[in-house]
Amino acid sequence: MNPFLSEDHRSDFPSTAPAANPVFYRTYSRKTKSGRESWNQVGTRNLEGLRKLGGLTEEELTLMAQMQAEKKALPSGRWLWIGGTEWIAKDQNFSGAYNCTSTNLVDWQAFGLMMDLAMMGCGTGAIIEPHLIEKLPVVTNKIRIKSITDIGLTPPEDRKESTSINILGQEVLVKVGDSRRGWVDSYQLLLELSSDSKFKGKEISITIDLTDVRPVGESLKGFGGMANPVKLKDLYSRVARLLNKAIGRKLTSVECCLLIDEAAVTIVAGNIRRSAGMRQFASDDVSAASAKENLWQQDNQGNWRIDPERDSLRMANHTRVYHEKPSQEEILKAVTKQFHSGEGAIQFAPEAIARSNADLLTTKELRNEFIDIYCTQGKEESKRWLETIHGPINPQELDHRLSRYGLNPCGEILGADFHCNLAEIHLNQIDPSDEEGQSDAFRAAALSVACLLNHRFEIERYRQSREWDPIVGVSFTGLFDFFVHAFGTPWLKWWEDGRPNTKEGQDFKKKEAEYLNRWKKVVNHTVWEYCDRRGLRRPNRCTTVQPAGTKSLLTGAAPGWHPPKAQRFIRRITFRKNDPVAMACRDYGYSIVPSQSDKDENGLLLNDPFDTRCTEWLVEIPTEVSWANLPGADEVEINNFSALAQFDFYMQVQRHYTDHNTSATIEFRENEIDDLAKAIFSSIENGDGYISAALLARFDANATFPRLPFEPINAEKYSELQEEVIKRRINTDFFEALSRYDEGELSEAGPAGCDSDKCLLPLAQPSN
């Protein structure tokens, strides 16, 4: 029986997942001639795409269909939305199937590639260390933006998709094409002109012609959604201003970051794609470490404003890369800084590189020896050591192997110039006693990511990287929920006590490890068997844990390995203003407020969602976890879970399940800084597997920042908000409510680049 036969929209999602309908219809359901896709139709479409791409057997397809229908194993959020469409079958669009990418910043093309990737929905990572950005050319020519035309003056039938450039002496006319590539090329052209030797260091006067770019509100072909190029006109002047500050020298790391982020702002504002980024800086890069300091400020009335010159820095997480073992004092300073700013995560690159060479470093002893040589004798000596025990290795591949510490925006994937596809098991949907059901789910997820290894990319740097280092990522979400149901309230109480090393605690950790190791074996066996059958090179790392905030909402799972924010909380979901799904949410009874990005001319947050200056909405949804009402569970104060307990659980996953990195946001209070710094130092020093984790300051309820994705509430407040939702509700059928407003194309074009709101938390934090 086909598990996708039912077409009843109202039974698509469990009642324990109140945000599922808003998130699904906003993010994963495409507009068709007969209306919006149901969950069943999304499953049928994306599986057909995997069948064509991956050469799957009927038995494999049946298993994957069953796991999707039951919401136990899902492909990436990107593939849920784009899989099986004509658009993704085109070579030039393959990147649009991937949540996770990273690009080494070595030339102007890399900037353009990152904008192109972001516009296709990819999360973009970039290593911005000196040994890479020193390869960029010197900025020699001053850029003057002479004029910028209005958008959308050309009739649709006369528009050109390609960007053209006309040079007459020092005068340059750039006519921007009406396409993704058109936007990207116009941005990259400015960078290239700034160092073009033909202009001999003289000022270049540039006219930007935007008449071919379709205006706000017009349908976008291929993706779905509507054009909204409200920030495109601003892009060119801001880029020129940044470049002009660097005349006579190469760009600094922060300037590189700002150039990438300005493009990201344009994409976000255009509602073409939500962007997410990771920027990796050298550990001793002082300017990068302080780039976001005092980004947010609060006035005497409690209103927040943001520095407009650095606003774009919110587009990415900032991480400091250590190539040697940092001292305890260095880690303490970094942890302290993260408490105050939410930025500057510590990445230990040698562990990342060792894991990324697991096919050569096959034992713990070999990994430890490699890390010791890398840290004490340097990169070149570690290369020679690898050659000695595994040579000969192609010199270019060897360089690539030693560069595999690039991260995607949420930090769960490792590689160099990579694309990585993710799949996800929803453990909260699976019985902890059902080993066969767990195996089926992990096998189905592994097959869904393996299929995309058949892509052959157009861009040489990405194509070559995949040939040397094919990687996939099988993740899970709802691990915390799974273990609550597996071990009961005593496990929660043990967490509340700090996960101490008691006899009971040792027993819990042994059982946790048994689950994690068993799942990892299923994933590796499935991926490797598939690759052997298809004649593909085996990935040397297949497992990871992403933060999974968005897709988790389809089943109401706690994100990734993390505990939920509380047994009950307000979940805020982002929409474009007047989005049909948001309007349906309003009719369903949920409240709406302006998003954190909407500010007045003084940088103050708006309060009225119907203010003409408001462009984005937050829909507020009262939520309760699946185990909130278990006997004794409500007595456990999740907000008091210690940073060390969180770190211990994170490292448990890192050691026993994850091949790449485990995306983590450790929440901590000021009095925990020293203990957390010691734990990170000890893990690095002892070779326990630490790579990178985000650290986020935790404050009491009266000191929270405004309009974050999660706001913990107590049982009484939850009941009160639920009653208010019901009182406001004018339609009890969400799909019917949506049908009232659902005209035209989708307002959003798929999930965020990292498929999660959780990894964006540090980006949006005002400084305390």
Side-chain angles (χ1 to χ4, degrees):
M1 178 181 176
N2 185 342
F4 286 123
L5 284 179
S6 170
E7 289 303 326
D8 182 1
H9 291 261
R10 287 168 290 186
S11 62
D12 276 347
F13 303 105
S15 59
T16 53
N21 275 313
V23 166
F24 171 68
Y25 288 111
R26 178 200 71 169
T27 312
Y28 304 114
S29 172
R30 301 184 70 85
K31 188 78 172 179
T32 69
K33 292 179 180 178
S34 58
R36 296 219 182 206
E37 292 175 317
S38 67
W39 176 256
N40 302 325
Q41 291 168 324
V42 167
T44 299
R45 167 177 52 73
N46 83 73
L47 277 171
E48 175 61 13
L50 291 176
R51 184 193 67 78
K52 289 180 178 179
L53 179 63
L56 297 162
T57 67
E58 286 303 315
E59 183 272 335
E60 289 168 337
L61 282 167
T62 299
L63 173 66
M64 294 164 72
Q66 188 69 39
M67 292 298 100
Q68 278 199 47
E70 296 175 4
K71 301 167 192 70
K72 292 178 179 176
L74 306 180
S76 70
R78 299 294 317 144
W79 194 260
L80 276 178
W81 183 73
I82 203 69
T85 63
E86 292 182 8
W87 183 87
I88 200 59
K90 298 175 182 177
D91 292 7
Q92 67 267 30
N93 299 330
F94 283 169
S95 292
Y98 294 83
N99 301 74
C100 305
T101 71
S102 179
T103 304
N104 289 340
L105 218 59
V106 295
D107 51 26
W108 292 136
Q109 185 195 34
F111 288 84
L113 287 172
M114 291 183 70
M115 183 178 186
D116 194 40
L117 290 170
M119 291 187 78
M120 284 191 278
C122 306
T124 58
I127 301 177
I128 314 181
E129 290 185 279
H131 73 278
L132 294 175
I133 64 173
E134 283 172 359
K135 298 177 183 179
L136 294 171
V138 172
V139 176
T140 56
N141 310 315
K142 183 177 181 180
I143 302 293
R144 182 172 72 90
I145 304 300
K146 182 178 180 181
S147 63
I148 304 176
T149 71
D150 287 334
I151 289 169
L153 302 179
T154 304
E157 63 273 13
D158 296 330
R159 293 174 189 155
K160 300 292 190 300
E161 291 190 359
S162 299
T163 288
S164 62
I165 180 170
N166 185 27
I167 301 175
L168 184 62
Q170 300 298 121
E171 298 281 334
V172 176
L173 171 64
V174 179
K175 189 165 189 180
V176 181
D178 184 37
S179 65
R180 181 187 86 232
R181 193 66 243 175
W183 286 33
V184 171
D185 286 346
S186 68
Y187 163 72
Q188 188 175 322
L189 269 171
L190 259 63
L191 306 181
E192 293 170 347
L193 288 170
S194 74
S195 61
D196 192 331
S197 60
K198 292 196 300 289
F199 294 94
K200 300 178 180 179
K202 297 179 180 178
E203 182 179 275
I204 306 172
S205 182
I206 301 177
T207 297
I208 304 291
D209 185 342
L210 298 176
T211 55
D212 278 357
V213 176
R214 69 191 62 195
V216 172
E218 189 170 317
S219 172
L220 290 172
K221 306 292 185 185
F223 273 138
M226 291 182 293
N228 193 15
V230 294
K231 289 285 187 180
L232 185 59
K233 289 185 72 170
D234 296 338
L235 174 66
Y236 306 102
S237 296
R238 296 178 77 90
V239 167
R241 186 158 56 247
L242 281 165
L243 291 169
N244 289 341
K245 290 180 180 179
I247 291 175
R249 59 173 173 82
K250 297 181 181 183
L251 295 171
T252 67
S253 59
V254 175
E255 288 168 340
C256 288
C257 187
L258 283 165
L259 280 173
I260 300 168
D261 292 343
E262 287 296 348
V265 168
T266 306
I267 296 162
V268 172
N271 282 307
I272 293 172
R273 191 75 72 230
R274 285 188 59 212
S275 180
M278 170 67 77
R279 313 291 177 246
Q280 292 166 259
F281 300 98
S283 60
D284 59 355
D285 189 337
V286 177
S287 60
S290 60
K292 292 192 186 184
E293 287 183 357
N294 299 314
L295 191 61
W296 286 87
Q297 298 170 6
Q298 196 173 26
D299 65 19
N300 294 333
Q301 287 73 45
N303 298 307
W304 292 96
R305 72 178 300 277
I306 194 167
D307 180 354
E309 289 299 309
R310 296 183 295 147
D311 192 356
S312 65
L313 291 176
R314 292 186 301 117
M315 294 295 104
N317 289 303
H318 289 186
T319 289
R320 300 167 73 179
V321 182
Y322 288 82
H323 291 277
E324 300 175 355
K325 289 184 177 180
S327 68
Q328 190 166 334
E329 182 182 1
E330 286 177 303
I331 292 178
L332 178 60
K333 287 181 179 178
V335 172
T336 302
K337 185 174 184 61
Q338 286 175 85
F339 178 82
H340 292 292
S341 70
E343 290 298 332
I346 303 161
Q347 184 196 7
F348 184 51
E351 175 69 28
I353 297 169
R355 285 181 174 235
S356 299
N357 285 277
D359 54 326
L360 304 184
L361 307 175
T362 54
T363 66
K364 183 174 177 60
E365 290 73 24
L366 281 173
R367 289 196 298 274
N368 288 343
E369 187 173 356
F370 170 82
I371 290 171
D372 182 63
I373 292 171
Y374 187 98
C375 290
T376 59
Q377 301 179 49
K379 178 179 177 180
E380 292 305 314
E381 188 57 38
S382 65
K383 286 167 65 174
R384 282 190 284 271
W385 179 82
L386 275 180
E387 280 255 79
T388 300
I389 62 171
H390 286 290
I393 303 174
N394 175 290
Q396 288 75 34
E397 180 180 348
L398 189 58
D399 284 337
H400 189 276
R401 283 181 173 276
L402 272 292
S403 301
R404 294 176 187 172
Y405 59 93
L407 296 169
N408 69 309
C410 293
E412 73 267 21
I413 301 298
L414 306 171
D417 284 328
F418 68 78
H419 283 54
C420 187
N421 186 38
L422 299 177
E424 185 173 77
I425 294 88
H426 284 235
L427 291 168
N428 60 315
Q429 297 293 98
I430 306 174
D431 188 335
S433 65
D434 183 6
E435 287 191 22
E436 183 179 358
Q438 294 161 39
S439 179
D440 285 346
F442 279 89
R443 183 167 168 247
L447 287 168
S448 74
V449 293
C451 288
L452 268 68
L453 290 175
N454 291 288
H455 277 150
R456 185 170 171 80
F457 300 113
E458 274 195 328
I459 304 299
E460 170 63 22
R461 69 183 77 191
Y462 300 137
R463 184 169 64 250
Q464 182 62 76
S465 179
R466 166 150 291 182
E467 290 176 5
W468 283 329
D469 188 32
I471 49 176
V472 297
V474 177
S475 179
F476 52 65
T477 193
L479 180 66
F480 193 92
D481 305 316
F482 181 89
F483 283 153
V484 172
H485 291 297
F487 307 134
T489 305
W491 187 76
L492 281 173
K493 297 287 188 182
W494 175 59
W495 256 89
E496 193 171 40
D497 292 339
R499 291 174 59 94
N501 192 34
T502 59
K503 186 179 185 307
E504 179 190 45
Q506 291 172 6
D507 185 52
F508 280 142
K509 293 186 80 168
K510 180 182 177 183
K511 291 177 180 177
E512 290 172 353
E514 287 172 353
Y515 278 114
L516 295 166
N517 284 313
R518 186 168 66 246
W519 298 337
K520 179 177 181 175
K521 288 178 181 177
V522 172
V523 171
N524 286 335
H525 174 79
T526 304
V527 172
W528 293 342
E529 190 277 332
Y530 174 88
C531 289
D532 291 348
R533 191 173 79 225
R534 300 284 298 176
L536 300 170
R537 184 171 181 170
R538 287 184 173 191
N540 69 23
R541 52 204 186 282
C542 301
T543 53
T544 187
V545 180
Q546 61 178 329
T550 305
K551 207 165 25 166
S552 295
L553 298 176
L554 298 177
T555 62
W561 64 267
H562 299 84
K565 286 291 183 181
Q567 287 86 340
R568 299 165 189 86
F569 50 86
I570 299 171
R571 187 65 167 90
R572 295 186 175 92
I573 312 294
T574 306
F575 293 88
R576 181 180 58 85
K577 183 180 181 180
N578 296 322
D579 183 289
V581 181
M583 296 300 289
C585 288
R586 189 164 172 259
D587 284 3
Y588 200 68
Y590 297 138
S591 60
I592 295 174
V593 296
S595 82
Q596 200 184 57
S597 62
D598 281 322
K599 303 173 285 290
D600 66 15
E601 61 278 4
N602 296 314
L604 303 178
L605 292 177
L606 300 177
N607 293 309
D608 178 6
F610 293 98
D611 190 307
T612 55
R613 297 166 294 181
C614 180
T615 61
E616 285 187 324
W617 283 352
L618 297 175
V619 173
E620 300 184 321
I621 303 174
T623 304
E624 181 179 71
V625 301
S626 62
W627 46 267
N629 297 307
L630 290 178
D634 207 26
E635 300 169 10
V636 175
E637 181 53 66
I638 295 175
N639 193 47
N640 287 337
F641 284 176
S642 70
L644 289 185
Q646 296 170 62
F647 188 80
D648 179 71
F649 192 46
Y650 151 62
M651 291 303 300
Q652 179 85 328
V653 176
Q654 180 80 341
R655 283 190 297 266
H656 296 290
Y657 178 77
T658 302
D659 289 327
H660 285 275
N661 188 38
T662 303
S663 181
T665 302
I666 308 294
E667 300 187 18
F668 66 121
R669 291 185 168 86
E670 192 163 16
N671 64 352
E672 297 178 296
I673 290 175
D674 286 351
D675 287 342
L676 185 54
K678 289 175 184 176
I680 294 172
F681 173 78
S682 177
S683 179
I684 294 174
E685 190 68 21
N686 297 330
D688 289 339
Y690 174 89
I691 294 177
S692 180
L695 307 181
L696 183 64
R698 174 180 271 171
F699 300 99
D700 294 325
N702 61 357
T704 56
F705 300 126
R707 301 172 191 172
L708 292 179
F710 299 90
E711 181 182 330
I713 54 177
N714 58 29
E716 292 73 24
K717 183 66 173 179
Y718 173 77
S719 297
E720 176 188 325
L721 292 175
Q722 281 290 82
E723 289 176 7
E724 291 175 3
V725 168
I726 293 170
K727 286 179 183 177
R728 290 191 297 264
R729 185 171 291 165
I730 61 175
N731 197 326
T732 59
D733 185 323
F734 191 91
F735 183 71
E736 183 181 299
L738 175 58
S739 299
R740 291 184 57 203
Y741 303 101
D742 199 13
E743 297 179 1
E745 294 289 333
L746 283 174
S747 57
E748 295 287 342
C754 61
D755 198 32
S756 170
D757 287 330
K758 189 168 182 65
C759 72
L760 297 178
L761 281 173
L763 322 187
Q765 294 280 88
S767 180
N768 73 305

